Structures are given as structure tokens and as C-alpha cells.
Amino acid sequence: MASRYSIFSLLKESFRGHRGWTPAWRDPEPRPAYDFIIVGGGGHGLATAYYLAKNHGARNVAVLEKGYIGGGNVGRNTTIIRSNYLMPGNIPFYEHSLKLWEGLEQDLNYNAMISQRGVLNLFHNDSQRDECARRGNSMHLHGVDAEMLNREQVRKLLPMADFDNARFPIMGGLMQRRGGTVRHDAVAWGFARAADSLGVDILQNCEVIGIRQDASGVTGVETTRGFIASRRVGMACAGNTSRVAALAGLRLPIESHVLQAFVSEGLKPIVPCVVTFGAGHFYISQSDKGGLVFGGSIDMYNSYAQRGNLPTVEEVCEEGVALFPCVSRVRMLRSWGGIMDMSMDGSPIIDRTAVDGLFLNAGWCYGGFKASPASGWCFAHLLATDQPHPVAREYRLDRFATGRLIDEHGGGAHPNRH
């Protein structure tokens, strides 16, 4: 069991020169067999393992990560959390996730730097105002907080924004004050530490290279560290889901695209909340160190590479300057890319597959990080009970065959539009 973090343990270690701290989680050797195997050691995979142990009493659980913990999408995002969705299939799930975020630090005994500073979606014309009003009303019907702000209320929050831009005048915005940001790598470390303390084996540098099956279904996985047996295998592999699913002979309705994100040099506080630009796909917040963290659309071509192209960098920066002209002289410090598993309707999949004992958690598009706690909660429920959790019951794999899509963006069956 990991030692509990507290002000008392901090004071104790201060007097001891901080020589008593132990590793946050173990580095065990793989066992021959497990009751549950989770493929993917990102936020979703670690959360699944944690809730399997906590909620369902599972102790013989392994998380297989091909690299190191925090090296995938859980450490390659813009840290935003929110539940300001429109569709009935999405609102209950993301609200459940936001509620889990609100108590996560106490639950994990780990400082994830959760900051509910608010998420503001700007609108720039009458039709966008109507869309924001519709979204806010839908949120209210599900008991979720939403607040329409007029032009002057937004101006008080963002005095540096260009309100009189001839092409994109700011008319107001939809605010969710419970939304905000979380330190992404701390989420991975917190879930890993908490899962390990409940007996979960976290196996780093353990890539899955094959999935064994017999007449009854899955029997285990081939890895770079040998064969590991299990009758229940959950895939939580984000942008590499298609690759892993192909090992079992599955073809999924998702595509992999690279999504770039950026951070600037440190500045004094100028952006008090998360802001999205209604006239383009641009979003921005400010980190605790002062850097402006921002991103935009995916690069619009299929890729498994964690890097992007320069035209997207230019487009994102143009939209940022159109919204905040003052950032035109700010230096960009670094950029990074994550591999997005883009579903056909922009909404995720948490379901069984056609292979008995093989379960799927994928298709998160832009919403993967904010969904981490609820994704783990619901995927653990599915793995343990073989039944979908009530807030994730619409995330069926067969909805693409039956036509029961959850088209949140309204872009139709085009993964790159979501």
C-alpha cells in the first residue's frame, strides 16, 4: 500500500530530508494470467483498472502500456474538463465525469491541480446565439449548470478580446462555471498510484503484439514480455485502437488523426477561464505557470505519428490572433501532438465486441481527457458485470449499423469533421 499523502507526512519527510518517500507505484514482472487485462496505460486504462479494483473488488488486474505511464494522449492534450454537451446520449455521461473530477483528488489522495475556472463558448452571430441557447437549455433539462452571458458580461471577463472585429464580432457566450482544467500528467500518476495500492499490476514497456482466441473467445494477449492469459481483455488504446483491434480480426468505425496543441511563454494572467472561439475551431486557457495553452482542429489526414504539419499551426495561430490581437507578439514555446481515435459520429464507444471476452473503449475524438474518470467507471462496470452502465448505454458499437448515431457536431458520418 502506498503511503498516504498529507500535511503530516510532508512535515515528517521535511525533517528527514525527504529520504522516506517510496515510488508511487510498483514495477512488477508480468504474472502468467490475470482475471482482467487492460490494454493501454493512459487515463482511461488506468481509471478502468482503479475502478475495477475499487468498485468491483477485482485484485488480479493488469494494465499493459507499450511505453511509459503518461507518454500517450493523457499527457498530450489541453487539460480541459467540461460537460457542456447537447445530445441526450452525451450529457449524462460527461456530467457524471465532471462530478467524478470534482471529488477525484480526495478519492485518489493525489493533487491533480483541478481548477474549475469555467468554460466559455463564444458566439458571433444570431444563429450561433440560438445554438448556444439550445445547448444551454438541453443542459438545464439534465440538471447541468449553464449560463448565457451577453456582450458586456463577456467584455468584463475578456477585456483584451477583439469585440469589434468586422468579421467575427463577439456577441456573447455560453458559460459553464464548473468546467475548467486539470493537470493531465498528474491524472495519470494519481490513477496509477491509486490502482497500484489496490493490487493492480502496471506493466510498462509491455506492448501487445497479438491477441489469442479459441472457440470460446479471447484466451490472452501476446506481448513483448511474453504471453499473458486472460478471458477478459479491455482495449483502451486511443489512437492505436484500430491497430490493436486488427490483431483480433476486427475492423472498427474509427479513424486515427493527429491533433496538435501548443503552449506559449509565461505571461501575467490575461485569460481567466477556458475560452472557445465560435468563428473557428480554437480554444485557449492559461496554465498556472502563465503559459497560454491552446489548440484547434485535427490535421485532417490519417496518421499514427505524434507530430503535425505547419499549415495547421498557422491556422490555429491566425484564429488566436483574430480573437486576442494582443497575443500576436507572444512567443510560442513548444507544441505536441496526440493521436485521436475519431468515430464516425463524434461520440465514443464503450461496448462488447464480436469476440467474446474482448471489450472496446474507443472513439473519443476531442473529448478523451475530460472523460477519463467516467470512462474508467463505465468500462470497469462493463468488464465486471457484462452490462453497460446506465450513463453509457447509448455508446453501443452497433449504432453505426442501426443508424442510432449520436451526432454531437452535426457533421454526419465523417470522422475528420468531429
Side-chain angles (χ1 to χ4, degrees):
M1 295 289 291
S3 59
R4 184 166 183 81
Y5 294 149
S6 69
I7 185 62
F8 302 107
S9 63
L10 180 60
L11 289 173
K12 178 182 176 182
E13 289 303 322
S14 296
F15 287 112
R16 296 173 56 182
H18 296 285
R19 292 189 296 270
W21 298 116
T22 57
W25 59 86
R26 299 168 293 124
D27 188 20
E29 290 297 317
R31 301 179 197 173
Y34 291 91
D35 294 334
F36 300 92
I37 288 177
I38 311 300
V39 183
H44 292 228
L46 293 168
T48 300
Y50 171 66
Y51 290 121
L52 269 172
K54 180 192 175 189
N55 295 350
H56 304 281
R59 293 296 182 267
N60 193 21
V61 180
V63 176
L64 312 186
E65 170 55 43
K66 70 174 183 177
Y68 61 91
I69 297 301
N73 282 3
V74 71
R76 292 172 172 268
N77 56 76
T78 49
T79 76
I80 299 168
I81 60 172
R82 57 184 176 87
S83 63
N84 55 351
Y85 280 74
L86 172 66
M87 304 302 290
N90 281 331
I91 297 177
F93 175 86
Y94 284 99
E95 176 62 11
H96 181 56
S97 195
L98 189 54
K99 289 178 178 177
L100 289 174
W101 281 117
E102 290 173 327
L104 191 69
E105 292 174 317
Q106 291 74 26
D107 186 26
L108 300 183
N109 182 227
Y110 202 88
N111 180 17
M113 299 175 66
I114 296 172
S115 173
Q116 292 181 278
R117 61 188 66 183
V119 174
L120 177 63
N121 295 338
L122 299 177
F123 55 80
H124 307 268
N125 54 48
D126 290 342
S127 64
Q128 288 184 345
R129 180 187 57 209
D130 293 345
E131 193 279 331
C132 283
R134 181 188 176 206
R135 181 180 296 265
N137 290 335
S138 183
M139 292 166 65
H140 283 161
L141 289 173
H142 287 82
V144 181
D145 65 303
E147 179 183 353
M148 287 287 285
L149 302 184
N150 60 33
R151 179 184 174 96
E152 294 310 311
Q153 288 173 309
V154 174
R155 191 189 294 273
K156 289 180 181 179
L157 276 175
L158 306 172
M160 79 299 295
D162 187 356
F163 284 80
D164 299 314
N165 186 304
R167 293 182 64 193
F168 315 118
I170 297 174
M171 298 177 62
L174 178 67
M175 169 68 86
Q176 184 182 31
R177 297 194 183 274
R178 290 170 53 241
T181 61
V182 183
R183 178 167 175 173
H184 42 23
D185 45 10
V187 173
W189 301 334
F191 271 124
R193 178 177 177 272
D196 177 84
S197 71
L198 295 176
V200 173
D201 282 357
I202 299 173
L203 307 176
Q204 300 180 84
N205 300 308
C206 185
E207 183 176 0
V208 172
I209 56 177
I211 298 177
R212 285 192 193 177
Q213 306 175 49
D214 62 13
S216 300
V218 168
T219 61
V221 295
E222 298 280 359
T223 78
T224 51
R225 299 176 67 176
F227 175 73
I228 306 174
S230 180
R231 282 291 186 178
R232 288 195 169 249
V233 177
M235 296 183 291
C237 313
N240 284 295
T241 302
S242 296
R243 285 175 161 175
V244 177
L247 300 175
L250 298 177
R251 184 181 178 188
L252 301 176
I254 60 175
E255 293 182 356
S256 295
H257 291 255
V258 62
L259 174 65
Q260 297 186 71
F262 313 88
V263 66
S264 77
E265 60 184 320
L267 306 172
K268 292 182 178 180
I270 62 170
V271 182
C273 59
V274 179
V275 182
T276 71
F277 185 36
H281 196 176
F282 174 83
Y283 40 92
I284 187 170
S285 64
Q286 191 163 12
S287 74
D288 293 328
K289 293 189 292 184
L292 300 178
V293 183
F294 53 97
S297 297
I298 55 177
D299 280 18
M300 299 298 177
Y301 59 88
N302 299 134
S303 176
Y304 290 111
Q306 292 177 322
R307 60 180 182 272
N309 61 27
L310 288 175
T312 298
V313 178
E314 182 179 15
E315 177 187 345
V316 171
C317 291
E318 284 176 347
E319 293 185 12
V321 172
L323 178 59
F324 298 123
C326 61
V327 305
S328 62
R329 299 180 66 182
V330 175
R331 289 171 292 187
M332 189 170 71
L333 191 62
R334 62 182 181 274
S335 66
W336 59 92
I339 308 171
M340 303 294 102
D341 42 329
M342 309 295 291
S343 67
M344 299 297 289
D345 63 353
S347 297
I349 305 163
I350 302 178
D351 202 358
R352 297 180 292 270
T353 70
V355 179
D356 191 40
L358 184 62
F359 298 81
L360 178 63
N361 178 326
W364 291 98
C365 302
Y366 296 96
F369 178 72
K370 69 179 72 70
S372 297
S375 169
W377 185 287
C378 296
F379 200 35
H381 183 276
L382 177 64
L383 284 162
T385 68
D386 213 31
Q387 297 296 322
H389 191 278
V391 302
R393 64 177 178 268
E394 301 298 326
Y395 295 158
R396 297 171 57 93
L397 177 58
D398 67 359
R399 71 177 187 267
F400 301 97
T402 62
R404 299 178 62 88
L405 303 182
I406 312 171
D407 193 2
E408 183 72 34
H409 185 273
H414 300 277
N416 66 325
R417 293 184 183 176
H418 296 286

